């Protein structure tokens, strides 16, 4: 009788007791050139677009939470999933709502950055805006997020780093003349006394304005990305390529099925991401024959690539377009 009770108790624990792990596995993949439901994933209004073909699929990783012991073991044994500490993905000091909001914000930021990178690559003009203002900083209450930065101390603001360059050498207590434009109002000038930089890693000897600059396209047309229930920044590269494809004649991918991943910055640099083995699995199952891999992920990707999936190494947007050029010409792109 005792052994039966122990077996039953173990069975109940295995079936219902939650383990402090999540399962990572292949997530959905979406064609950035195609439709999601009845709507294009990427639509452009106010500018001519060109026909596309084939696929440029972004890839995702699924995170399965609230696992029982038996459930976790079952997913792990399947070979398609890996277990990871739950605290890494659901920090105990944050609510699930906060985590979901952060993931959504990262995904939205990746869309905005993809637009900027694509249009900058194509030679469209851009503008520099205030993205964030440090609370309590000298700029707080004078400048606002969304203000367009025109010059600082007489030096033009042409990109996100030129504001820092314009204020280089300024000391706490110095005054900075910031020329800016708010919405459609006339240009304005703010004369701000710089403070002391107490931010982590900041130089206390450098005059502190408290503004983070960001770049945005300055174009008379709109780009809309419609994809719900996806989080994180790793779709940036594929969004960027799809925008370029829609705005230029011809088929960027030569009509082939290409998938990939990678975070992108406004200058077109491609950053590494997590979960690439799972993303490659899903891409290959969906029909992809080539996968664009961030350069810093190449070693991991090369060791775990599914059979039949060609890997192309990309460190930036130029690399990515060259890889697609090679495919279009039936050549082999630069490999991992």
């Amino acid at each position: 009788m005792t052994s039966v009770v122990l077996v039953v108790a173990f069975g109940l624990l295995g079936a219902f007791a939650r383990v402090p792990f999540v399962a990572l596995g292949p997530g959905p993949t979406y064609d950035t050139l195609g439709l999601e439901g009845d709507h294009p994933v990427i639509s452009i209004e106010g500018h001519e677009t060109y026909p596309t073909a084939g696929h440029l699929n972004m890839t995702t990783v699924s995170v399965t939470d609230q696992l029982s012991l038996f459930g976790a073991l079952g997913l792990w044994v399947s070979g398609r999933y890996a277990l990871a500490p739950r605290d890494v993905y659901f920090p105990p000091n944050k609510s699930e709502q906060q985590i979901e909001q952060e993931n959504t914000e990262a995904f939205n930021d990746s869309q905005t950055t993809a637009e900027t990178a694509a249009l900058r690559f194509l030679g469209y003009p851009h503008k520099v805006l205030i993205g964030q203002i440090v609370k309590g900083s000298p700029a707080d209450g004078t400048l606002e997020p969304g203000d367009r930065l025109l010059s600082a101390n007489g030096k033009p603001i042409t990109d996100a780093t030129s504001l820092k360059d314009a204020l280089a050498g300024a000391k706490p207590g110095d005054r900075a003349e910031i020329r800016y434009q708010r919405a459609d109002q006339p240009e304005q000038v703010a004369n701000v006394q710089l403070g002391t930089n107490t931010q982590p890693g900041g130089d206390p000897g450098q005059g502190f304005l408290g503004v983070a600059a960001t770049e945005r396209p300055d174009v008379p047309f709109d780009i809309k990305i419609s994809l719900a229930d996806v989080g994180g920044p790793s779709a940036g590269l594929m969004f960027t390529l799809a925008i370029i494809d829609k705005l230029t004649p011809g088929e960027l991918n030569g009509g082939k099925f290409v998938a990939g991943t990678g975070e992108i910055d406004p200058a077109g640099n491609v950053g590494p991401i997590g979960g690439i083995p799972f993303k490659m699995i899903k891409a290959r199952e969906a029909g992809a024959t080539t996968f664009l891999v961030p350069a810093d992920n190449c070693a991991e990707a090369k060791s775990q690539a599914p059979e039949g999936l060609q890997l192309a190494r990309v460190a930036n947007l130029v690399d990515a377009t060259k890889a697609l050029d090679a495919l279009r010409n039936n050549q082999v792109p630069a490999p991992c």
Side-chain angles (χ1 to χ4, degrees), residues 11 34-35 42 54 57 88 95 106 110 114 125 128 138 163 211 232 242 248 260 273 290 311 331-332:
L35 301 175
I42 296 177
N57 274 46
V88 173
S95 67
S110 76
V128 183
L163 175 62
V211 163
T248 54
I273 48 76
T290 300
L311 305 184
Q331 298 172 348
V332 178

Side-chain angles (χ1 to χ4, degrees), residues 102-113:
E102 289 177 359
N103 286 333
T104 300
E105 289 175 354
F107 185 68
N108 291 338
D109 287 346
S110 76
Q111 297 178 28
T112 303
T113 305

Side-chain angles (χ1 to χ4, degrees), residues 25-313:
T29 180
Y30 303 93
D31 182 13
T32 58
L33 298 176
L35 301 175
E36 176 61 16
D38 297 329
H39 304 285
V41 172
I42 296 177
S43 57
I44 301 173
E45 297 181 1
H47 193 287
E48 181 181 8
T49 58
Y50 298 90
T52 61
H55 293 253
L56 287 173
N57 274 46
M58 57 160 284
T59 49
T60 66
V61 174
S62 69
V63 180
T64 306
D65 189 25
Q66 300 298 322
L67 294 171
S68 68
L69 176 60
F70 289 168
L73 289 173
L75 292 174
W76 180 70
V77 169
S78 74
R80 288 176 59 86
Y81 293 83
L83 300 181
R86 187 179 189 276
D87 287 355
V88 173
Y89 295 87
F90 298 94
N93 61 332
K94 296 181 180 180
S95 67
E96 291 190 21
Q97 290 76 17
Q98 288 175 311
I99 295 167
E100 183 177 348
Q101 181 179 354
E102 289 177 359
N103 286 333
T104 300
E105 289 175 354
F107 185 68
N108 291 338
D109 287 346
S110 76
Q111 297 178 28
T112 303
T113 305
E115 295 173 21
T116 302
L119 297 182
R120 185 171 178 171
F121 180 81
L122 293 174
Y124 287 92
H126 62 276
K127 53 190 175 183
V128 183
L129 306 178
I130 295 177
Q132 293 179 330
I133 294 178
V134 177
K135 188 174 181 180
S137 69
D140 191 18
T142 300
L143 301 173
E144 295 181 1
D147 287 348
R148 181 173 184 173
L149 293 168
L150 303 173
S151 68
N153 289 339
K155 298 179 181 178
I157 304 301
T158 57
D159 55 37
T161 62
S162 57
L163 175 62
K164 181 179 178 180
D165 294 340
L167 298 178
K171 305 296 182 185
D174 290 351
R175 303 200 74 87
E177 182 184 273
I178 308 297
R179 185 175 295 275
Y180 67 99
Q181 184 178 22
R182 182 168 297 161
D184 295 326
Q185 299 176 20
E187 294 180 13
Q188 303 179 59
V189 175
N191 201 288
V192 183
Q193 184 175 15
L194 301 177
T196 300
N197 191 343
T198 59
Q199 298 294 297
D203 179 3
Q206 169 68 46
F208 182 60
L209 180 62
V211 163
T214 185
E215 297 175 29
R216 294 288 184 270
D218 189 16
V219 294
F221 56 90
D222 295 319
I223 299 173
K224 182 179 180 181
I225 300 178
S226 303
L227 201 57
D229 301 324
V230 179
S234 65
L237 171 63
M238 303 312 291
F239 283 148
T240 302
L241 292 172
I243 293 169
I244 292 171
D245 200 359
K246 285 174 175 280
L247 287 173
T248 54
E251 299 162 358
L252 192 65
N253 56 8
K256 295 180 171 58
F257 196 137
V258 179
T261 186
E263 189 172 355
I264 200 164
D265 69 12
N269 298 305
V270 177
I273 48 76
I276 198 164
F278 310 113
K279 294 180 177 184
M280 293 189 300
I281 289 172
K282 191 65 175 184
R284 185 69 186 111
E285 290 176 347
T289 53
T290 300
F291 196 93
L292 304 181
V293 182
D296 289 342
N297 288 120
C298 260
E300 179 186 16
K302 189 175 180 180
S303 66
Q304 302 188 56
E307 185 177 351
L309 189 64
Q310 176 179 237
L311 305 184
R313 178 187 183 277

